[in-house]
Amino acid sequence: MSAYVGLDVHKESTFATVLSQDGRVVVQRRVANELLPSFLGDFNIERIGLEASTYVAPLYRDLVRRGFSVEVSHPKKTRYIAEARIKSDRVDSRAIAELVRLDALPKSYMPPPEVAALREKVRRRAFLVRERAKLMAKVRGVLAYEGVKPPEGSSLFTLKGLEWLRGLGLEPVDCYLRVMTVLNVEIRRLSLELKHLAGEDEDVQLLMTIPGIGYYTALLVKAEVGDVNRFKSGDHLCSYAGIVPSTYSSGSAARHGGITREGSRWLRWAMVEAAMTHIKYDTSITRSYHRVAEKRGKQVAIVAAARRLLFACYTVLKEKRPFRPFLHGQAFRFREPRESAVRL
């Protein structure tokens, strides 16, 4: 008889519930993670369900490698469906098993190994760049505290600026600069590796035909989207990025609020950054940006532009064609931005 399994995964152990086809509990037990595959091998398992968490990825890969059919659930949506007054590992694993049995588990995307590896690389670079930016802010903070004014007309973090900073003899500044040197080496190494990957990927090359999207943003989009065919439309992809307006509807009244901010925050961030560069070009997205900006302000307008830009990414990936360089018979042309662009 086929069985359905719900797993509540923790760092060292997992609470497992095995259900029969008619929903009867066969066994409930806490099992050490390394012993779980052999424990599950004693049953004729149809499907396994587990909730996405920090410790799920290695267990998921191990179970799939051993031939099990595994589904990973979206934690928030799972709680909406199977909310219980009493919350425990036993109750949670039973709820997941029941949803798997009924084929009602809200699934979460688990990228294949090559996509997961790319995700890790692009996210690691973003993390290192952000840490470097924090150190730059620390250096400026020390200068402000010490009452030292930077030389006019030059950046603090150019070769000339760094030489001036080192000449100040301020121990905190020297400390931050040493750490920044290490980060710069790692960022440069990652950037070269990612540029090489970008040159060999057809999807990335197509995404780079969109004004404002460089090799890094294109790789990040590829890593976060994975297989574009898992999205029914560009609207679904925008919803996945949490870059669509929230809606509150009751009866005949409907009200739209801010963006949902659900899903991939990395994809949302990348599109907003790319949109700030894209609006330097004369495109339909840029024209829409300026129309919205006049009515609702630049902040709302740039988010709307980011949403349209992500829709363009979907079209390029779905149709496997470059971004069309003409609009109403005129080529896209670069023009001076109306507001400062943010570098990716």
Side-chain angles (χ1 to χ4, degrees), residues 15-263:
F15 199 95
T17 296
V18 180
L19 295 182
S20 64
Q21 279 186 319
D22 58 3
R24 180 176 52 84
V25 174
V26 178
V27 65
Q28 286 189 304
R29 184 181 304 171
R30 183 175 298 280
V31 184
N33 288 342
E34 62 271 17
L35 300 178
L36 190 62
S38 59
F39 166 75
L40 296 175
D42 295 336
F43 304 94
N44 180 25
I45 295 176
E46 181 76 18
R47 288 194 308 275
I48 300 172
L50 41 87
E51 196 174 73
S53 69
T54 306
Y55 308 109
V56 156
L59 182 59
Y60 170 84
R61 290 193 298 266
D62 188 24
L63 292 175
V64 170
R65 187 167 56 248
R66 293 169 184 267
F68 291 104
S69 175
V70 187
E71 299 174 349
V72 180
S73 74
H74 189 296
K76 192 172 182 179
K77 293 180 180 178
T78 304
R79 292 191 187 100
Y80 285 155
I81 297 172
E83 190 65 48
R85 289 180 178 270
I86 300 174
K87 178 172 174 57
S88 67
D89 295 347
R90 181 182 296 271
V91 171
D92 287 350
S93 64
R94 168 69 186 270
I96 294 170
E98 189 65 34
L99 290 173
V100 170
R101 186 180 73 86
L102 297 173
D103 198 20
L105 192 73
K107 298 178 182 64
S108 180
Y109 175 65
M110 290 296 287
E114 63 276 9
V115 176
L118 180 59
R119 274 190 183 185
E120 193 282 326
K121 286 183 188 296
V122 295
R123 290 180 179 183
R124 190 191 335 153
R125 183 185 181 276
F127 169 78
L128 294 176
V129 170
R130 289 178 181 180
E131 292 303 303
R132 183 177 63 181
K134 291 178 183 178
L135 291 171
M136 290 178 177
K138 284 288 188 181
V139 169
R140 295 189 182 96
V142 171
L143 296 183
Y145 180 79
E146 296 292 342
V148 179
K149 292 186 178 180
E152 295 183 3
S154 64
S155 172
L156 280 177
F157 301 103
T158 59
L159 290 176
K160 185 177 179 181
L162 290 172
E163 184 180 355
W164 177 81
L165 285 170
R166 293 188 180 100
L168 294 175
L170 294 172
E171 195 276 332
V173 171
D174 292 340
C175 173
Y176 294 140
L177 292 181
R178 286 194 298 270
V179 179
M180 283 176 58
T181 300
V182 176
L183 288 177
N184 285 335
V185 171
E186 294 301 325
I187 291 169
R188 193 177 301 114
R189 180 182 289 116
L190 261 177
S191 297
L192 290 174
E193 186 176 346
L194 290 172
K195 280 184 180 179
H196 178 72
L197 291 174
E200 297 180 337
D201 193 295
E202 179 186 358
D203 288 339
V204 171
Q205 292 296 312
L206 290 173
L207 288 169
M208 288 172 64
T209 64
I210 303 175
I213 293 184
Y215 80 93
Y216 177 74
T217 304
L219 282 169
L220 191 148
V221 171
K222 175 68 180 292
E224 294 299 315
V225 171
D227 181 8
V228 72
N229 293 313
R230 67 192 182 95
F231 298 99
K232 296 179 181 178
S233 67
D235 290 329
H236 282 84
L237 177 56
C238 292
S239 179
Y240 171 75
I243 206 168
V244 295
S246 55
T247 302
Y248 305 89
S249 179
S250 179
S252 60
R255 179 172 63 87
H256 298 284
I259 59 173
T260 62
R261 297 183 182 274
E262 298 282 347

Side-chain angles (χ1 to χ4, degrees), residues 267-287:
L267 188 55
R268 184 166 60 252
W269 164 75
M271 286 298 100
V272 171
E273 294 287 292
M276 291 180 180
T277 302
H278 184 94
I279 60 176
K280 296 188 294 186
Y281 296 81
D282 186 12
T283 70
S284 61
I285 296 175
T286 301
R287 295 167 188 172

